[in-house]
Amino acid sequence: ERVRNDILSGAIAAGVRLNEVHLSRALCVSRTPVRAALHALAAEGLLDYERNRGFRVRSYSPDAVADAYEIRASLEGLACRFAAERGLTADDRGAIEDALARGDAVVEAFEGGAAQEARYREANVAFHEAVLGASRNRMLIDMIRLTFARPGAPHRAIVAFSHREVRRRHDDHHRIYEAIRAGDGWRAELLMREHVTSVKSSRLDEISGAGARRPTGGG
C-alpha cells in the first residue's frame, strides 16, 4: 500500500526502477513480501517487469492519462446520479459533510504549503470516496477504483495547488453535494463529469509543461 501510494502520488516517478533490497530496508520487512507486493502492483498495471532487470514504474502517455480521466468522469458521474436517486443515509451525509468541512478549512486559511496540500488531498479523497460509497453499487465502485489506480488520474493527485484552483474545485464539491442531497441525479452527474474533466485539462497542461521544461539531448 505504501509503494502504491508513492507511485500514485508521484513520489516515485514514472520510469524509476524499484530495487527489492532498498525497498525491504526502507519498509523494514524482508524481501519476500516486497517481491510479492511488486508482482501485485505489476498485475494492477502500475509496474512493468523485465526478466533479469526487475520492476520499473510504468509510464503513461498523455493520451492514456486523458482516456483514464474521461472514463473516471463518466463513472464518477454515474455514481453521483445513483447516490442522488437512491438517497443519502445519515452516515453518507456525515461522511460527505466532514470531507467538505475539512476542505473548507484549507480554503479559508490557504497558505499553499506542503502540509496544507496534504490536508486538502485527504479531504479530496474523503469526498470522492464518500460519494462512491453513497452510490451503493459494488460493481461501479470496483470499476472506478481501477481508474484511480493509474498514475496521472487518481483522486489522490492534487493538480495545480493554488488558492484559485483549490477554491474552484472545492466549490464544485459543494455544488455536487447540493445536487445529490436534492435528489437531482442528472445535475449531480453532469457536475461531477465537468469537475473531473476540468482536472483532466489541468493535468494535461501540467504534463505538457513538464515535457517542455525537460532538458533534451544525449547524456
Side-chain angles (χ1 to χ4, degrees), residues 66-78 124 128 143-144 147-148 152-157 173 192-193 195-197 199-200:
D67 288 347
Y69 270 110
E70 289 292 337
I71 294 167
R72 179 185 155 192
S74 297
L75 295 177
E76 281 203 87
L78 182 58
N124 184 65
H128 285 270
M143 292 174 70
I144 291 172
T147 69
F148 287 166
H155 57 344
R156 295 177 186 276
H173 289 178
M192 179 59 88
R193 288 176 67 116
H195 172 67
V196 176
T197 300
V199 177
K200 178 198 76 173

Side-chain angles (χ1 to χ4, degrees), residues 75-144:
L75 295 177
E76 281 203 87
L78 182 58
C80 287
R81 176 153 61 86
F82 283 171
E85 292 174 350
R86 295 171 182 181
L88 298 175
T89 67
D91 286 344
D92 293 333
R93 288 193 298 273
I96 295 173
E97 289 173 5
D98 176 69
L100 289 173
R102 288 155 63 186
D104 289 341
V106 173
V107 172
E108 290 168 6
F110 189 85
E111 296 174 353
Q116 272 200 332
E117 183 172 355
R119 287 196 294 273
Y120 188 74
R121 178 181 297 108
E122 291 171 0
N124 184 65
V125 169
F127 174 79
H128 285 270
E129 292 286 351
V131 169
L132 293 189
S135 74
R136 297 198 290 282
N137 186 299
R138 184 72 250 176
M139 182 185 299
L140 179 60
I141 291 170
D142 289 344
M143 292 174 70
I144 291 172

